[in-house]
Amino acid sequence: MTKITIEGNNLLSGEIKISGAKNSAVALIPAAVLSKEKSVIYNIPEIRDIEYLIKIMELLDCKIEYKNNALYIDSSNLKNKAIPEELSVQMRASYYFMGALLAKFGRVEMSFPGGCNIGARPIDIHVKGFQQLGAKVEIIKNRYIITADKLIGKKIYFDFPSVGATINIMLAATGAEGTTIIENAAMEPEIVNVASFLINMGVKIRGAGTKKIEIEGTKELNNGVCEVFSDRIECGTYIIIGALLGKNLTIKGVIKEHLEAFLMKLKEVGVKYCIKGDTLTISKTENLKPTYIKTLVFPGFPTDLQQPFTTLLTQANGKSIVEETIYENRFKNTYDLNRMGAITNIISLNKLEVNGPRKLHGTNVIATDLRGGASLLIAALVAEGITEIDNSDVILRGYSEVIRKLENVGAKIKITE
Ligand code: UD1
């Protein structure tokens, strides 16, 4: 088990460069199986999920080369093989092979995907979408066998604008005859990133980033090139760290349009920062104000920044309320936050009360999920004394080179296996 140890309460200065977005990269790699032969994806983050996706790509006989944060993928010998459970459960994003392989071969066999345990996370919207395109979906003991002699473009309405389902149906629709229209699609930047890659391969897609996306199926796709957008969640996490501990901390690779709701909330709690181009400079804010945050689909406040933001609110002057509307079980980090000295109470199924400001102190904690782990990591940086975060593998699933980046700006942090 991986453990991160932090001696807290040090001001941080210098520069942190944001890596490519986890949630884009994990969709772009499966999407690469659609290209004719070769594709290149630039700005790949160094995270554990990517290592497992590469294993799946190699299982499917893709040749992969990783150089200077770029992934060179040759899928000219691509074979359609069943994806075993030990690989698919390593992450949520393995489900993108469903849409991609269905479009390419008309058949996919794989186990239910994994991911953080933050709620039920069914994939019924994906399945219904595949069925509406004409696929047959059999589920045998957690194993999905999805087949289609022919996929036919349809108008599909999503009951909820799911990020995963939007991308998965976009991938499947590339192999359908005619036009697929997704109504009530998710609008997250990751969808635009994947759509740009597919457009680069020659697929006609209109409306990615809006509620209505149109995809025209294409017989043969070209080679594809794309660059992963910078990670808005990683960026938000370091901005929070800067608001708590920065001393002219500079964060490079900020796309402020991807973080509007988050930046508005930061202003509300009194955090000041300066943005020039893609560079944000931030210093520790005294006298933070309490606030109310409610997680929503993009462009609302992102659920993936809810847990990191909760740690910020433990330092605000008064009572804040956090309402989580996307997942049913995303307050698990508060158990250990309280053990570090925070006062948070779950006041109803999806509402948390945070009382501050509280002095945090180091202790032994356990990261239960990726962003919950990030919330504890921020708390550990703020706390007096030493914090040991067990099960830190989950943090490495989503934060590229986190130890090096924090060490470089002055954090006392180490990792042990
Ligand atoms: C993606 C992100 C995750 C982020 C989430 C919301 C990846 C790999 N993960 O997850 O970091 O927290 O978007 O921004 O990109 N739902 C259903 N049925 C479905 C699909 C989803 O009920 O078929 C529900 C989920 O249980 C959840 C909500 O819809 O409560 C949002 O899920 P979705 O947008 O699909 O998130 P993911 O793609 O799993």
Side-chain angles (χ1 to χ4, degrees):
M1 199 158 40
T2 306
K3 186 194 284 179
I4 292 180
T5 306
I6 294 176
E7 190 185 325
N9 204 16
N10 293 298
L11 290 182
L12 307 176
S13 49
E15 185 181 295
I16 294 177
K17 188 170 179 330
I18 302 305
S19 299
K22 163 185 169 283
N23 290 346
S24 280
V26 297
L28 291 165
I29 295 171
V33 304
L34 293 168
S35 90
K36 192 175 169 194
E37 284 176 338
K38 292 185 178 168
S39 36
V40 190
I41 308 173
Y42 295 104
N43 201 24
I44 293 278
E46 287 183 31
I47 52 172
R48 296 257 159 115
D49 280 14
I50 302 291
E51 292 169 24
Y52 285 107
L53 283 173
I54 291 176
K55 285 188 183 155
I56 297 179
M57 295 291 276
E58 285 173 343
L59 171 92
L60 302 175
D61 288 345
C62 288
K63 278 206 195 91
I64 309 271
E65 200 188 337
Y66 178 73
K67 218 170 42 190
N68 301 330
N69 286 102
L71 214 52
Y72 297 80
I73 302 167
D74 182 345
S75 56
S76 41
N77 288 320
L78 183 78
K79 306 260 178 351
N80 191 14
K81 298 184 196 166
I83 300 171
E85 189 162 13
E86 60 266 27
L87 289 178
S88 66
V89 295
Q90 299 296 338
M91 85 217 94
R92 188 94 197 132
S94 51
Y95 56 28
Y96 291 132
F97 285 102
M98 290 181 171
L101 292 175
L102 185 64
K104 188 93 179 183
F105 296 111
R107 186 176 201 284
V108 198
E109 192 176 332
M110 67 176 285
S111 298
F112 189 80
C116 287
N117 181 9
I118 48 178
R121 308 187 83 180
I123 56 165
D124 54 307
I125 302 172
H126 307 230
V127 167
K128 196 169 154 196
F130 295 141
Q131 287 167 331
Q132 283 174 295
L133 294 178
K136 185 173 150 213
V137 183
E138 286 174 273
I139 308 166
I140 304 165
K141 280 197 187 158
N142 204 29
R143 212 157 171 73
Y144 282 67
I145 303 165
I146 310 174
T147 47
D149 292 336
K150 190 157 98 176
L151 293 169
I152 298 178
K154 279 273 158 57
K155 188 166 188 164
I156 295 172
Y157 170 79
F158 283 168
D159 292 325
F160 180 85
S162 152
V163 174
T166 302
I167 294 177
N168 235 340
I169 297 309
M170 220 161 59
L171 294 172
T174 63
E177 234 178 69
T179 304
T180 298
I181 299 174
I182 308 174
E183 294 277 8
N184 199 27
M187 301 194 288
E188 271 71 359
E190 296 77 63
I191 287 137
V192 179
N193 215 171
V194 176
S196 319
F197 191 30
L198 297 174
I199 290 168
N200 182 268
M201 289 185 213
V203 186
K204 287 204 176 88
I205 300 181
R206 286 176 293 274
T210 74
K211 288 211 147 301
K212 179 178 177 177
I213 306 178
E214 290 182 47
I215 308 112
E216 279 178 38
T218 313
K219 278 268 174 296
E220 194 168 282
L221 279 73
N222 305 319
N223 295 332
V225 180
C226 72
E227 177 162 358
V228 183
F229 289 166
S230 93
D231 195 312
R232 64 197 168 102
I233 307 301
E234 187 200 13
C235 185
T237 305
Y238 286 120
I239 294 176
I240 291 171
I241 291 173
L244 291 168
L245 295 156
K247 191 176 163 200
N248 288 322
L249 183 72
T250 299
I251 300 167
K252 271 193 95 63
V254 181
I255 305 176
K256 68 175 191 309
E257 293 74 12
H258 291 177
L259 280 165
E260 295 286 8
F262 167 78
L263 292 174
M264 295 293 283
K265 282 292 159 185
L266 272 189
K267 278 204 170 144
E268 243 176 69
V269 298
V271 173
K272 292 197 176 64
Y273 52 81
C274 165
I275 300 191
K276 275 198 192 124
D278 75 341
T279 303
L280 182 145
T281 308
I282 190 163
S283 291
K284 178 177 172 160
T285 305
E286 305 289 349
N287 297 321
L288 290 167
K289 287 179 268 189
T291 192
Y292 161 71
I293 65 165
K294 181 176 183 175
T295 64
L296 290 168
V297 295
F298 191 83
F301 190 96
T303 172
D304 287 353
L305 281 173
Q306 178 263 104
Q307 291 159 302
F309 208 90
T310 296
T311 305
L312 178 77
L313 294 177
T314 66
Q315 303 307 302
N317 228 321
K319 188 204 288 180
S320 298
I321 299 290
V322 176
E323 187 175 351
E324 172 59 61
T325 74
I326 308 294
Y327 295 111
E328 313 86 39
N329 197 1
R330 216 168 196 187
F331 294 141
K332 280 195 282 189
N333 55 316
T334 60
Y335 173 76
D336 272 335
L337 276 184
N338 287 353
R339 287 183 57 253
M340 294 178 77
I343 300 186
T344 72
N345 298 304
I346 299 172
I347 49 176
S348 69
L349 223 51
N350 68 342
K351 269 199 188 142
L352 179 78
E353 186 182 283
V354 186
N355 291 288
R358 296 288 300 169
K359 259 204 173 339
L360 303 181
H361 52 82
T363 185
N364 287 15
V365 295
I366 299 180
T368 53
D369 56 270
L370 165 56
R371 308 301 170 185
S375 140
L376 296 178
L377 183 123
I378 300 167
L381 289 167
V382 172
E384 285 283 354
I386 292 176
T387 304
E388 291 187 345
I389 310 173
D390 269 323
N391 198 36
S392 284
D393 301 77
V394 292
I395 300 175
L396 305 181
R397 280 196 44 227
Y399 288 91
S400 186
E401 301 179 89
V402 60
I403 307 297
R404 186 187 62 74
K405 287 185 187 184
L406 285 171
E407 228 169 23
N408 278 352
V409 294
K412 292 189 179 156
I413 182 168
K414 69 172 192 210
I415 189 160
T416 44
E417 293 285 338

